[in-house]
Amino acid sequence: MDRLNLSRWAIRHPALVGFLMALLFAAGAAHFFALGRDDDPTFTLKEMIVAAAWPGASPAQMRAQVADLIERRLRATEDLDFLQTYCVDGRCAIRISLKDSAPKDRVEVIWQQVRKQLKDLEPGLPAGATVAADDDYAEVYGYVFTLTGADNARLVALAEQVRDAMLRIPGAGKVQITGEVPRRLFVDVDSRRLAALGLSPDAVVQALAKRSSVAPAGVVERSVRVPVRIRGTVDGVDTVENTVIPAVNGTISIGDVGTVSNGYADPPDLLVRHAAKPAVVLAVAMAPGADGLGFGKQLSQVAATFGRTLPAGIAMTQVEDQSQNIREAVNAFLIKFFCALTVVLLVAFVTLGWRTGVVVALSVPLTLAIVALFMGASGIGLERISLGALILSLGLLVDDAIISVEAMVVQLEKGTSRADAAAHAWTHTAFPMLTGTLLTIVGFLPVGFARSTTSEYAGGIFWVTGSALLVSWVVAVVFTPYLGVRLLPEAHAHHDAEAMYDTPVYRRLRRVVDASMTRRKTVVAVTAALLIASLAGAMLVRQQFFPVSDRPEIIVDVSLRPGSSLSATSAAVKQIEASIAKDRDIAQADSYIGQGSPRFYLPYGPSLPDPATTTMVLVATDLHARERVIARLLANHASPEAKLHIRRLSLGPSAGFPVQYRVIGPDPEMLRTIAARLEAVLRATPGTTAVQADWGTPSVAMRLDLDAERVARLGLDRAGLAGDVATMMSGQPAGDVLRGTKRIGIVVRGTAADRADPGRLADMAVSTPGGPVPLGQVAQIGATTEQPILWTRNGELCMTVQADMTGDVQASEVVDAAAARVAAIVTSLPAGYRIEDGGDSELSAKANDAIYALLPVTFALMLVLLMIQLQSISRTLLVLATAPLGLIGAVVALVLTGAPFGFVALLGLIALAGMIMRNSIILVDQVTHNQADGMDLHAAIRAATIGRSRPVVLTALAAVLAFIPLCFNIFWGPMAIVMIGGLIGATILTLVALPALYALAFDRTSGLPEEDHENA
């Protein structure tokens, strides 16, 4: 077996091993600083938006004739989780959400299938209806610039120039221009004058559409092809005015019946303002795998160069800089990383002596260098998860080096030569260490392989930590023995090896171990009671999904009642902008009126387009300022008609509102009644804010009831009449003017007075074969109410009641506080109605379920590893019994610090079980060796505990101190606290409770010989 001893092989080939060490050091260090940098790891957003339009349709018609048709086709989508739809006047949007378990490699294929389904569906839609898919919704535009100081057309032209320059930068992905208001040529016509001339608005539309169309006029085939061009297309105001229309008494020009003017779309689809000034936004996405820091630097250089060429008065401002966030996040973590590394090395020097400390100290950076090579080869860069996992690994990877060098030191104390001491470390500790290492890696396995978006986001914990632990074992059995032979002193002749354990500390420990074995039943019972108490104490720990971000942005979602116009929304936002204009805690403010902002941060989900909503992105000067701004905004009544939902960014996947209840059923009025009860419950629950239902209240609509007999007698038809009314009130497209790369739409509409006053509808002249008649003579005009927005989920009407929290209140606390009253509402629901939980509780449940699904596999792998190592069912069960001991200290630490228990903390608790079993298996294995050397059971347990106490305590101390820098991190803090508390408690129990448990399990009175005990 000696030929299989890697430690002996290493010391017999010193030149090769030394060369490999130097090579790995150099290559790993160079690779570490060349790794890509990002603020967060990427994860696949499994959502697509399908938008449909049918001008003139009511929300109910959109739902029945368009949305339902699309939903029926899309319900067969692979890995579909749900379809969420909202319908408003003339438009609807369908959010396709795939299951959290959908493989990320299949997502793009699924979206291609959806596009094909929509293409096949188009012929079946009502005439005039269109549908389009947009999976660009998931693109992350981390670099955002605003242009201000000129009219919209000029700003758009400048944005297009800088866009072309930015797309030439290596690493550039998509570039999006937001805030463009399309230019229009308006033809304002008087319905009375048209009717008097025997013309309808449609005649004007058709005349302009025919003149502005581009059609082939043939080609003359000679030695060269000579195309024929027909000139005289519409190219401006003059040509529109001079366009003739056939009338009853000849022809008439459009200028005689209307006023032609240049302008912008009215109303526009969206407006953007920066610092309360009209703006155009240029948002840049980085290509996958690009280096965020390098790309950001080049992008800033291009922007600065372009900025120097801008005309006076025009400003270009960078409002989002992902590279700055990356730099701050990575630098902060690197500081924590090197602090943790320094602490670990100091522990090694202070507790082991300088020679032994040097051996351990060299093994840590060597391990990290090899891990850096693995990260580079695997495409893992330096970001929040990987850097946190590296710091987490620091507290673990030092274990193997300490155990290995400790075994060598003990053998040297016994007088063994350095070469034999190194070989002994392999034969007695290598395989228990390997099993313990694999157990710890398996503890992280659920997050690496769970099929969920959350695990995709946090999966780097498994890959980085697992690789670090595996590499640390290789270093401990190959390079550490080599270093030990080089650096540790030669054995002293006639040295008493037992003297090293004859110190006051070891004597006290020996007495504690003896007392523990003597009162083993009491010790085991107390340990079990502590474990039960910790399970009960876990009820006192606050629950959390993912914490809020430490970025300074504040998202303010402003919503007016559904159905509000864009101009009304813009006016309300102006009031809010004015109220915060002089707030020194706000560095910048951007408003996206009518839609959400670009997705500048991966976990942030932009709002869907809606004229009644606005997303304001405020950037505070620092985190303290952020909280002050939020407090002032919560008390802001600058725009009483607007509802404000103020939120911070989240670290990791999150819902827009953390607390959500979905009310589902067939009748809108009953949904509204149930939702009102839920709103009352949430408003009465302490810690809630922004409580609202997503439907709003019914709005006013004009109703035209046609006199069918009179319409028929006058030679009118319903479709033509509706078209004329739509043209006069909202405008009708009538072709395009082509200018460069732009198409300026021509719109025929009524005069401003007619458009602004619905009361004038009755006087609107309608052209008939017998002459003009007022609209009021063929239709009864009145007002009615209708639901301005309809939300459905998987084809069922769904009204969502949602709320956010104030201060440090967690969503789980609100849900728990409201649970009894919500349950009372659920029990009183009519047949056909139900309430579903949404928000963070739903996301957390999905993420946790994906983790729990892999726990049986994790448990089975741990059993297999333990059985391979221990070859005993009894000892395997004994080691497994120590796995939950970390819960005792973890719960105490969480309760004392007030830290919440979230997804990342759950991963820490699972991994903690592997770390505890790692120590247990080495101690149990040593007991077996001691018994094989002739010791009785109690002496074997005592000697194993005493002999392993120093490496157990030192590895725990190194881990605890390495985790301390993470305690102050928003994302990693709860996990670090769990592991610090768990390790401290588990280390004490390993030295006290494990001997008692071992004695209780194997010190039997049945008279069985010891060899039978071993095979039990």
Side-chain angles (χ1 to χ4, degrees):
M1 294 296 290
D2 190 59
R3 62 190 178 87
L4 297 176
N5 191 319
L6 288 180
S7 300
R8 190 178 293 280
W9 176 88
I11 61 178
R12 286 178 176 175
H13 300 82
L16 175 60
V17 174
F19 169 76
L20 287 175
M21 281 187 64
L23 180 64
L24 290 171
F25 263 127
H31 221 70
F32 180 84
F33 291 102
L35 289 173
R37 285 159 167 76
D38 209 337
D39 50 352
D40 280 290
T42 58
F43 59 89
T44 306
L45 289 162
K46 299 166 184 175
E47 291 185 345
M48 173 187 267
I49 302 299
V50 173
W54 186 20
S58 68
Q61 289 172 324
M62 285 299 303
R63 181 198 169 206
Q65 299 296 325
V66 178
D68 282 358
L69 189 65
I70 296 172
E71 286 185 356
R72 283 197 298 271
R73 181 65 67 94
L74 294 181
R75 279 182 197 138
T77 301
E78 178 184 344
D79 279 317
L80 177 67
D81 186 10
F82 64 86
L83 298 171
Q84 185 182 33
T85 304
Y86 81 84
C87 295
V88 294
D89 189 35
R91 292 185 299 111
C92 69
I94 301 172
R95 187 198 305 267
I96 308 172
S97 290
L98 304 181
K99 292 177 181 176
D100 212 29
S101 58
K104 63 178 182 179
D105 296 335
R106 290 288 303 166
V107 172
E108 184 55 39
V109 176
I110 294 172
W111 295 154
Q112 290 174 0
Q113 293 172 351
V114 168
R115 292 190 194 95
K116 183 178 181 299
Q117 291 284 342
L118 295 176
K119 189 70 176 175
D120 294 341
L121 178 71
E122 280 184 344
L125 294 176
T130 59
V131 62
D134 177 22
D135 60 345
D136 207 30
Y137 175 78
E139 200 72 41
V140 179
Y141 295 90
Y143 304 88
V144 182
F145 301 83
T146 61
L147 284 158
T148 56
D151 71 320
N152 188 265
R154 179 63 173 147
L155 294 178
V156 169
L158 292 170
E160 290 173 342
Q161 291 178 28
V162 72
R163 175 193 62 190
D164 295 339
M166 289 177 172
L167 283 172
R168 290 191 287 269
I169 300 175
K174 297 179 181 178
V175 179
Q176 178 187 83
I177 295 176
T178 303
E180 178 178 5
V181 181
R183 298 183 68 183
R184 295 285 186 262
L185 267 176
F186 291 111
V187 181
D188 295 348
V189 296
D190 188 323
S191 65
R192 299 163 192 80
R193 184 165 176 75
L194 282 179
L197 293 171
L199 297 174
S200 67
D202 185 61
V204 180
V205 171
Q206 294 302 321
L208 287 169
K210 290 175 180 177
R211 184 169 183 185
S212 63
S213 65
V214 176
V219 175
V220 177
E221 294 285 350
R222 298 179 67 83
S223 58
V224 294
R225 291 169 56 86
V226 181
V228 179
R229 311 288 189 201
I230 298 180
R231 305 193 56 147
T233 57
V234 175
D235 60 6
V237 171
D238 291 342
T239 53
V240 171
E241 289 179 334
N242 294 328
T243 300
V244 295
I245 312 169
V248 177
N249 299 318
T251 60
I252 191 170
S253 66
I254 287 179
D256 294 332
V257 295
T259 303
V260 183
S261 61
N262 278 305
Y264 292 97
D266 181 22
D269 290 332
L270 71 147
L271 295 172
V272 178
R273 289 201 288 265
H274 170 70
K277 299 176 183 176
V280 168
V281 167
L282 187 75
V284 185
M286 186 172 64
D291 177 28
L293 290 180
F295 177 72
K297 183 178 179 180
Q298 293 183 69
L299 199 63
S300 296
Q301 290 172 349
V302 169
T305 301
F306 184 79
R308 289 191 289 269
T309 67
L310 290 174
I314 298 179
M316 183 173 180
T317 307
Q318 185 164 9
V319 297
E320 289 294 340
D321 185 357
Q322 189 176 6
S323 65
Q324 180 64 25
N325 294 318
I326 293 171
R327 188 178 298 107
E328 292 175 358
V330 171
N331 289 347
F333 264 99
L334 285 176
I335 291 172
K336 289 181 173 67
F337 174 73
F338 286 113
C339 285
L341 179 59
T342 303
V343 166
V344 169
L345 297 183
L346 283 175
V347 169
F349 281 114
V350 171
T351 59
L352 298 175
W354 79 269
R355 285 178 178 269
T356 308
V358 167
V359 176
V360 174
L362 289 174
S363 68
V364 173
L366 177 60
T367 300
L368 293 175
I370 300 173
V371 171
L373 293 174
F374 165 79
M375 290 173 64
S378 304
I380 301 174
L382 297 178
E383 26 78 0
R384 189 185 311 277
I385 298 298
S386 62
L387 279 167
L390 282 175
I391 299 175
L392 181 67
S393 302
L394 280 177
L396 307 177
L397 58 84
V398 73
D399 290 11
D400 288 339
I402 290 178
I403 292 170
S404 181
V405 75
E406 171 76 12
M408 291 182 64
V409 169
V410 170
Q411 292 304 306
L412 291 173
E413 293 286 348
K414 292 180 178 180
T416 307
S417 68
R418 284 182 293 188
D420 289 339
H424 176 83
W426 167 268
T427 56
H428 282 70
T429 64
F431 292 103
M433 277 195 312
L434 177 60
T435 303
T437 296
L438 293 176
L439 279 172
T440 307
I441 293 173
V442 168
F444 286 102
L445 181 142
V447 70
F449 289 92
R451 295 178 63 181
S452 73
T453 300
T454 305
S455 294
E456 185 183 345
Y457 175 79
I461 298 175
F462 170 77
W463 298 106
V464 175
T465 305
S467 64
L469 289 173
L470 207 54
V471 169
S472 73
W473 180 82
V474 175
V475 170
V477 298
V478 176
F479 297 104
T480 300
Y482 164 81
L483 292 171
V485 169
R486 292 281 178 179
L487 298 174
L488 294 180
E490 191 61 76
H492 299 287
H494 311 298
H495 186 78
D496 184 7
E498 296 301 322
M500 65 181 294
Y501 299 119
D502 191 19
T503 64
V505 173
Y506 281 116
R507 284 195 292 270
R508 287 193 207 93
L509 179 60
R510 190 176 290 108
R511 287 195 294 272
V512 170
V513 173
D514 286 338
S516 175
M517 288 189 290
T518 302
R519 299 176 177 83
R520 51 188 174 270
K521 291 184 179 179
T522 302
V523 172
V524 172
V526 170
T527 303
L530 288 174
L531 188 58
I532 294 171
S534 67
L535 290 172
M539 303 298 292
L540 302 175
V541 177
R542 296 185 303 153
Q543 302 297 306
Q544 183 187 64
F545 183 38
F546 275 101
V548 297
S549 172
D550 52 0
R551 291 174 58 137
E553 287 93 348
I554 303 167
I555 306 299
V556 183
D557 292 319
V558 183
S559 57
L560 274 66
R561 58 181 295 172
S564 297
S565 66
L566 191 81
S567 59
T569 307
S570 177
V573 173
K574 281 184 178 179
Q575 293 175 333
I576 300 172
E577 290 171 337
S579 70
I580 63 173
K582 296 182 180 179
D583 193 329
R584 295 184 178 180
D585 285 332
I586 299 177
Q588 64 189 37
D590 297 281
S591 301
Y592 298 85
I593 304 164
Q595 69 170 31
S597 71
R599 188 188 290 270
F600 59 88
Y601 174 63
L602 184 59
Y604 163 67
S607 303
L608 295 176
D610 186 349
T613 64
T614 293
T615 296
M616 298 181 69
V617 181
L618 311 181
V619 181
T621 53
D622 55 49
L623 292 184
H624 295 295
R626 182 186 72 178
E627 299 309 309
R628 292 194 296 269
V629 171
I630 290 174
R632 287 194 287 269
L633 285 170
L634 288 171
N636 191 330
H637 302 294
S639 180
E641 70 274 20
K643 293 180 179 179
L644 303 187
H645 175 210
I646 303 158
R647 54 191 170 117
R648 307 164 187 85
L649 295 174
S650 173
L651 292 173
S654 67
F657 281 83
V659 179
Q660 294 183 12
Y661 295 98
R662 293 190 294 269
V663 186
I664 300 173
D667 180 42
E669 291 307 316
M670 180 56 70
L671 293 181
R672 195 181 304 282
T673 301
I674 299 169
R677 295 176 63 189
L678 285 172
E679 286 185 76
V681 167
L682 289 178
R683 287 197 176 94
T685 303
T688 59
T689 184
V691 179
Q692 57 190 267
D694 60 356
W695 280 37
T697 57
S699 61
V700 176
M702 299 299 294
R703 185 186 69 245
L704 273 67
D705 295 324
L706 297 180
D707 184 332
E709 182 180 346
R710 187 164 176 77
V711 165
R713 190 166 62 249
L714 292 173
L716 297 173
D717 65 86
R718 184 177 181 278
L721 193 61
D724 286 349
V725 174
T727 300
M728 300 306 295
M729 298 302 296
S730 302
Q732 186 77 9
D736 300 300
V737 175
L738 307 181
R739 288 185 184 167
T741 60
K742 298 293 182 183
R743 291 189 303 170
I744 301 175
I746 304 170
V747 177
V748 177
R749 62 184 184 178
T751 62
D754 287 338
R755 298 196 312 274
D757 185 5
R760 300 180 68 169
L761 265 176
D763 297 328
M764 189 182 96
V766 179
S767 177
T768 72
V773 296
L775 180 61
Q777 291 186 12
V778 296
Q780 183 177 356
I781 302 173
T784 186
T785 59
E786 65 179 21
Q787 185 60 50
I789 185 169
L790 293 174
W791 284 92
T792 63
R793 186 180 176 91
N794 290 334
E796 298 179 284
L797 288 176
C798 175
M799 185 177 293
T800 303
V801 179
Q802 44 206 10
D804 212 324
M805 299 84 61
T806 58
D808 197 32
V809 178
Q810 300 297 324
S812 60
E813 295 173 320
V814 172
V815 171
D816 291 343
R821 285 168 292 173
V822 171
I825 296 174
V826 171
T827 57
S828 64
L829 290 177
Y833 294 85
R834 67 184 186 276
I835 295 176
E836 298 178 351
D837 291 337
D840 280 2
S841 62
E842 182 179 38
L843 293 178
S844 179
K846 288 181 179 179
N848 291 343
D849 287 347
I851 294 293
Y852 297 150
L854 286 176
L855 288 184
V857 177
T858 302
F859 183 73
L861 287 174
M862 287 180 171
L863 276 176
V864 170
L865 290 170
L866 288 171
M867 283 301 299
I868 291 173
Q869 176 61 40
L870 298 174
Q871 304 285 311
S872 165
I873 295 176
S874 298
R875 289 187 175 87
T876 295
L877 294 176
L878 176 69
V879 172
L880 278 176
T882 65
L885 295 181
L887 183 65
I888 298 171
V891 170
V892 171
L894 288 172
V895 171
L896 290 177
T897 59
F901 183 82
F903 180 78
V904 180
L906 172 65
L907 301 181
L909 192 63
I910 295 172
L912 191 60
M915 296 165 63
I916 294 168
M917 287 190 289
R918 173 194 178 96
N919 284 332
S920 299
I921 195 173
I922 294 175
L923 192 147
V924 168
D925 185 76
Q926 187 60 48
V927 173
T928 304
H929 280 296
N930 290 346
Q931 287 183 281
D933 291 340
M935 292 186 184
D936 64 58
L937 179 62
H938 282 224
I941 295 173
R942 183 189 308 111
T945 305
I946 299 300
R948 291 297 177 195
S949 61
R950 185 162 73 164
V952 167
V953 171
L954 288 183
T955 54
L957 179 63
V960 166
L961 294 177
F963 294 155
I964 287 176
L966 283 180
C967 289
F968 305 100
N969 181 265
I970 294 175
F971 184 82
W972 292 97
M975 183 185 204
I977 290 169
V978 162
M979 301 193 82
I980 288 173
L983 276 176
I984 292 174
T987 300
I988 296 171
L989 291 173
T990 298
L991 298 177
V992 176
L994 183 57
L997 187 60
Y998 201 114
L1000 184 65
F1002 291 94
D1003 187 7
R1004 301 173 182 171
T1005 58
S1006 61
L1008 288 174
E1010 189 62 36
E1011 51 268 24
D1012 289 340
H1013 294 175
E1014 292 186 21
N1015 295 320

